[in-house]
Every structure is written in structure tokens, then in C-alpha cells.
DNA sequence: GTTATTGCAAATGATTTGCACAAGG
DNA sequence: CCTTGTGCAAATCATTTGCAATAAC
């Protein structure tokens, strides 16, 4: 886990007059020891498989805390549940590409896109503070050769598949 | 209401072997006679104020139908409820800018942005089929002069305000 | 007639909350 | 101690669904 997370979280906790608890630590660890996106309940499952104990309510509450602290971002994957992304600390301005065949999510950064969006906002008389770009796309592999390797991988791993199509 | 809607909806209904009903007509009319975004329950309220009658369930079912037909788009405004946008027929590739002060949503099109996103997808080995760009921003007016006209307007109209900030 | 559609009320499922108890600082 | 945090179970709230009645075509 990036030590930046620990530092920034400590700062947030201090400032707000909050406390350190083993449950919170375990949840934060579970989130930031991976770069995977997750829903609240997926995280709760992940926690249960460790030796540490936390109630579902605490998981929800900690997620809210981290979002408020700006360490975790809520993203829209077209899912019904809220999805969270722990990678905004390392890549503060990344975008998402979602494969409509297998649901795989690819993160990428692009300064030109960011800049162009910034300009668009300015032209409308605003100052952009946050951009969220999601591109839904199909892999050329599937279109050209009738197979999406990600799709097979996703099936094996039992991942949530997209509802579209 | 754009006659394109009626035509495309008829086509969809025919193809799928569905039927025309006064409830459906009234809901479709309520949606496309305005360019406002709405949640399912806001729409249900709108319908209730007319002489036509529809149950809440039918409103939900009709919305799903229109989304499936591609006539209505589900968009993410960072809200907890799903928000729908009826303007994708007139502007098939528009983006959203949300004022973080008043929650006002501004729609805009930008071919350069669309093109750049397309390229980004291609570079990753994909073919983009849908782009969703949301820019959260604050108005310069508020930042420079301490007042956001949209905010006042929003308060008067009793609009849902953003949760952020 | 046959099949899709409706309305109602009940079910669902994710998220939140009230409250009594536990435990940081 | 004093206050925040936790766990549990109950509550909430948007959305979905089963079913009997209704209405397209």
C-alpha cells in the first residue's frame, strides 16, 4: 500500500477529530493492497476472508469516510451498485474504458483529453474540478477473429459481466 | 416532441411484437415534450399532474423499454437515483457539465473531444461504441464575484442540489 | 382468442440508521 | 471519563416482480 494513503488518512483523521481503530485499518489495508475496483459488498466479502473482523455497516461507513477524504473515488461502470476505485492516488486523472464484451475495465491517462475537456469547461464559463470519462468499447480481437480473450478470462474468474448486449 | 421518436418507437414496438397503449403514449409524451433530465419518480410525479393515469410500475417499465430501444439514455449525475436524459436523439454525442455550486447541468457537444476519445480507444485496441463524459465544475461567476446565478435559480425552483461540497 | 400490458401490493436488495455496548485518547 | 466507533438488527428507499384482471390486435 502506498504510504501516501496512510499519511493522508492520518491527516484527515486528526483534522476531523476521529480515531484509529483496528477495523478501519483492516478495511483500508484491504482496499489499498490491491488496485481492483469493488462494490461495498465485494469488499465486505474480501474482509471476511481475512482474520480481521468488521461488520458490514463498518465497511460501508469506512468507504464513505475514504470517499469524503478524497482517497477513494466512486465511479460509474453502468452497474446498479456503486463501484469504488482506489487508484486515484497514483493516477489522479485517469479515465476508464469498459469492454462491452467481457466487462473488463482498463484505466488510462491522457493529457490531451484532460486539457481539451478543461478548455471546453472554460469556454462555457466554468472551471473544471473533476472529469469523468468512460468509454464503452468492444475489442477488435472479437470483431475480427470472433474471440475476446478477456471474455474467457472473465468467465473463469467469475467476474460480473456487463448487462448491455 | 420530435417525430423521430414516434417513428423509431413504432419500429421498435413492431419488431418486438409489442403493443400500443394509452399509458405508454402518455409517458413517452411526458418524457419527450421536454428536454429535462429526470428520475423515475420525478417522471411519475409529472404524469400524475396530467389527466392521464399510469401506475408507478408502468412508468418504470416504460423507461426500461425506451432505454432498451436506445431512445432514452441513463446518465450518471453523481446522484443516488438513476437519471435519464431524453436529448440523445437530437444530440447523439453530447457531454455533460455539472455545476458543483448549483447542480445545474449543461449539455454540450464537441467533435474534437469525441475524436480524441475515439483515438484513445483505438490505441488501446478497442473500437469505442459509447462515450460518457461528465465534467464537474464551478462557475467563474461564483469564484470571482461570490455569486452563482444558477444557484439562486435552483433554490427558487426547488431543484435537487448536488451532494458534493 | 391469444398474448402483452396494467395496477396493485408484496418482495428485493443495496445502503443507512438507531441504539446499546465497546474502546480510543 | 468523554466521545467516537462498532455491531446488530431494523428501517429505508428506489426499483422489480408475481399475479389476477384488462385490453391490444
Amino acid at each position: 500500500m502506498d504510504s501516501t494513503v496512510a499519511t493522508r488518512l492520518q491527516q484527515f483523521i486528526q483534522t476531523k477529530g476521529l480515531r484509529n481503530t483496528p477495523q478501519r485499518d483492516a478495511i483500508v489495508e484491504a482496499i489499498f493492497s490491491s488496485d481492483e475496483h469493488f462494490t461495498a459488498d465485494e469488499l465486505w466479502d474480501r474482509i471476511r476472508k481475512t482474520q480481521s473482523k468488521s461488520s458490514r455497516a463498518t465497511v460501508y461507513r469506512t468507504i464513505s469516510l475514504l470517499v469524503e477524504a478524497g482517497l477513494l473515488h466512486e465511479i460509474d461502470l453502468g452497474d446498479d451498485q456503486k463501484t469504488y476505485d482506489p487508484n486515484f492516488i497514483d493516477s489522479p486523472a485517469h479515465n476508464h474504458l469498459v469492454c462491452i464484451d467481457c466487462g473488463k475495465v482498463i484505466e488510462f491517462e491522457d493529457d490531451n483529453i484532460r486539457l481539451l475537456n478543461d478548455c471546453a469547461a472554460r469556454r462555457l464559463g466554468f472551471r473544471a474540478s473533476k472529469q469523468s470519462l468512460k468509454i464503452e468499447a468492444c475489442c477488435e480481437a472479437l470483431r475480427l477473429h470472433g474471440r475476446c480473450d478477456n471474455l474467457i478470462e472473465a468467465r473463469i474468474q467469475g467476474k460480473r459481466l456487463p448487462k448491455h448486449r
Side-chain angles (χ1 to χ4, degrees), chain A residues 23-152:
Chain A
Q23 288 91 334
R24 221 125 71 179
D25 290 345
I27 295 167
V28 171
E29 173 65 24
I31 292 175
F32 293 102
S33 62
S34 156
D35 61 356
E36 290 228 10
H37 301 148
F38 59 87
T39 64
D41 264 23
E42 281 167 3
L43 179 61
W44 156 237
D45 272 343
R46 219 191 280 172
I47 304 277
R48 288 215 277 187
K49 289 184 186 119
T50 67
Q51 68 298 353
S52 46
K53 298 257 175 294
S54 282
S55 68
R56 185 193 253 103
T58 300
V59 170
Y60 274 92
R61 286 190 271 235
T62 304
I63 288 175
S64 298
L65 198 77
L66 292 168
V67 170
E68 201 192 327
L71 297 171
L72 190 62
H73 282 218
E74 196 180 314
I75 59 172
D76 168 45
L77 257 38
D79 225 309
D80 292 325
Q81 291 163 261
K82 293 177 188 165
T83 306
Y84 298 93
D85 184 336
N87 305 324
F88 278 90
I89 293 164
D90 293 332
S91 319
H94 69 263
N95 305 299
H96 295 99
L97 183 146
V98 184
C99 176
I100 58 179
D101 299 313
C102 67
K104 180 170 179 147
V105 178
I106 294 170
E107 304 193 334
F108 68 98
E109 287 188 277
D110 191 315
D111 271 357
N112 293 319
I113 289 179
R114 194 175 45 68
L115 223 61
L116 204 50
N117 292 346
D118 242 44
C119 288
R122 246 167 245 250
R123 223 173 298 124
L124 292 165
F126 287 80
R127 167 83 44 118
S129 63
K130 187 181 162 195
Q131 307 179 2
S132 324
L133 169 65
K134 177 180 62 168
I135 299 178
E136 288 167 56
C138 51
C139 29
E140 306 242 276
L142 181 68
R143 194 164 47 77
L144 298 177
H145 314 115
R147 90 185 239 130
C148 165
D149 290 334
N150 299 336
L151 179 55
I152 296 159

